[in-house]
Structure formats: structure tokens, C-alpha cells
Amino acid sequence: MDADVRQMTWTELAAVCTNLEKACTKQLRGEEATTFAKLASFYESRREPQADAKIEELVALIDADLAEGYPSANEAAQAAEDRGSKRALLWGEKATKLLKSLLVRYEKQGAKLTEETGVFVCEICGFVYVGSAPPEVCPICKVPAFKIHPVRKEAI
Amino acid sequence: MHAVRNLRLCTKDCVCLFICPTGATNTETGQIDFDKCLDGCRLCVDACPSGAIYLVSSTYPKPQTTEDAVAERLFALANSKAAQEDLARSIAHGSDDPALRQICKVVEMSSRIIAEDLWRESGYIIAQSDAAEQLVEAMLAEYGAEEGFPVEAVQAFLNGRR
Ligand code: SF4
Ligand code: SF4
């Protein structure tokens, strides 16, 4: 089944391109990687921020993924004995739960949450960690710590 | 197939320099000279005491197909992740609180990584897949006339596939 380009949002189009860019980079195909990077930035440049976006909306989408999206996809992947999809769903669901807990904690604690500590994201699976140093091995996808990157506060 | 050095593993034992028949392993960048490397030779791969060299293929098999019922649900999740990335960016855009913007950045990055993985499993795992080729063709047809679309690069990619 092919995705329908006309139905996809700018961000979806950008994401499928950054995914293919990474695949080309891993194959050491620089020229093709650059082509997908150019496509991704074309779609990135079309994105526009929406006014009055709220954390609650974000949490609602995450809740819907956890209540509906992941269980139904897991069931389909199980029925199809598709272990690759089961793997992606397992990692994604775990990372999604961590994103939910990050947002819930931020709503409670505000800026205090990250006042004296760092926040890290695993470049492979999206694992999120609040603490002084990332774990030696990603608890979700098991890559070594050099693949887990700090996300810093920027001065505005 | 050519040899590639993983610089994170290379301990500079130089056996690959001794054994390479073309000098491809000896370069100022530390990486192997792919143009000099002999297709499929692999002498350095077997000789390296650190397991730091591997072969990268020039051709790839067609990826496994994803069943429609699975792909459909992976697409739906990827769509939701994109919406979350958009919301996080919008929230950051509307705020001048560095802590909130930091959290939003984390959500943006993580959501993108999760989405990329969903795309990968739904058929877009490598650029050599039919799905990826059809996607790029559809992008060219739909957006090729718009300003900023990388027409030449995309055409070169598609020509390279034929
Ligand atoms: S033989 Fe292996 S460890 Fe030695 S220089 Fe070559 S790649 Fe590095
Ligand atoms: S595979 Fe052979 S030709 Fe290529 S770099 Fe290694 S030793 Fe040299």
C-alpha cells in the first residue's frame, strides 16, 4: 500500500524524506542523501506554526495513540506476523509514554523540571531522558550513549 | 561493494594499509578511498584486528512488503506523530519561556524519530524500494512546478533508477 502524497501534511512529507535521507547516508550514498535532504527542506519550509497551540492538545493526541493507535497497529502486526513493524511499534510506544510523562511533569512542575538537569533524546528510537547524563545504553533500543543527545535551552 | 572504515572502532593498527593492493586504505581523511577500492576484494575487512572495516553494497534487494492492514495503521500513527511535532513547534513558537521551548524541542525531535521509524516499516525503508520511487515520482508530479522544489536532483535520482 502506497502513501498518498496529496493527502500528506508538510511535516509528514518532510519526515518520510528525512527517513530516506538517513537510509541513503547509512548506505554512504551522499548524492541521494542530499536529494532527500533537499526534498525534506522544501517541505519543512512550507510548515507554518498554528496560533494558540496548547499542551493539552498535544497530550490528547498522545493519549489517542496510546489508547487506539498503538493497540490497533500492534494487533494488525501480530496478525500479519510482521516482526519489523512489531519492533517499531514497541519502541515507538515506549518513547510515546515517556513523552506523555515528560509533558505531564512539565505541566506540574513548570521550568523547575529542567532547571538543574539536562534532557536527552535518543537519535535512533526517540527515547527521552531527564537527568544529568544519559544512560550508557538506551533502555529502549539498546544503542550506546553516544547516540543519545542533549537538548539544551536556547537563549532567546 | 566497497570497504568502509568505522572510525569509532579503528585503533590505527595499520594492517589494512599493509594489505590493500591499491592503497585505497591510506588517505588523509581516515576514510577509505571508495574509487580506488576493488569491488568485493575485502582483504582489509578480514585483516583488521579491530573489526573496524565493513563492506557496503552497491545493490540492495527489494525490501519485505508490509501488509496493507499494517501499513494503514502505521500511516495513521505517522500522521499523528507529525501532528504532534507540529503542535510542539507551534507551542514553542508562541512562547518565550526557554524551559517550555526546550520541552517542545524534545517532543519535536522524538516525534520525528518515531515517525521516521513508522515510515521505514510501512515500506519506505530504503530509497531502492518501489514505494520510495513511486513516492518521489508523485512528489515531482504534485510539487515539481513549485518554487524551491529540487527538480534537477529529483530527476537525477529517478533517472538513476531506470
Ligand atoms: S587495520 Fe583496522 S584498526 Fe588498523 S588502521 Fe586499518 S581499520 Fe584501523
Ligand atoms: S577491500 Fe581490498 S581494495 Fe578495498 S580497501 Fe580493502 S584491501 Fe583495499
Side-chain angles (χ1 to χ4, degrees), chain A residues 3-146:
Chain A
D4 185 351
V5 163
R6 285 162 304 174
Q7 304 283 324
M8 289 163 74
T9 66
W10 301 127
T11 307
E12 284 183 277
L13 290 161
V16 71
C17 290
T18 49
N19 162 50
L20 288 166
E21 178 196 349
K22 286 180 181 177
C24 292
T25 303
K26 283 171 193 166
Q27 296 174 355
L28 301 167
R29 292 172 180 251
E31 198 178 316
E32 290 170 15
T34 307
T35 299
F36 284 103
K38 282 182 185 164
L39 274 169
S41 45
F42 169 76
Y43 293 117
E44 290 292 352
S45 72
R46 298 298 159 111
R47 295 173 65 193
E48 297 228 12
Q50 127 199 6
D52 301 322
K54 301 247 175 330
I55 292 192
E56 297 80 70
E57 289 173 72
L58 189 48
V59 173
L61 286 182
I62 291 178
D63 281 339
D65 285 353
L66 292 174
E68 289 282 335
Y70 279 106
S72 116
N74 272 318
E75 205 175 297
Q78 176 70 32
E81 294 177 37
D82 180 343
R83 297 185 68 181
S85 295
K86 280 169 80 172
R87 193 269 316 142
L89 291 164
L90 179 71
W91 290 6
E93 189 170 7
K94 285 183 178 173
T96 301
K97 284 180 181 161
L98 292 173
L99 285 173
K100 157 102 193 243
S101 109
L102 179 77
L103 289 166
V104 168
R105 284 170 71 192
Y106 178 81
E107 281 186 305
K108 274 195 203 132
Q109 302 176 34
K112 271 203 160 44
L113 175 64
T114 55
E115 197 171 51
E116 298 197 357
T117 189
V119 192
F120 300 83
V121 176
C122 172
E123 69 169 67
I124 300 301
C125 68
F127 161 72
V128 169
Y129 180 72
V130 179
S132 50
E136 263 174 47
V137 170
C138 173
I140 297 181
C141 71
K142 318 295 180 208
V143 295
F146 72 82

Side-chain angles (χ1 to χ4, degrees), chain B residues 3 20-22 24-25 32 37-38 41-44:
Chain B
C20 178
T22 68
T25 49
I32 290 166
C37 177
L38 304 173
C41 151
R42 77 168 293 131
L43 279 172
C44 60

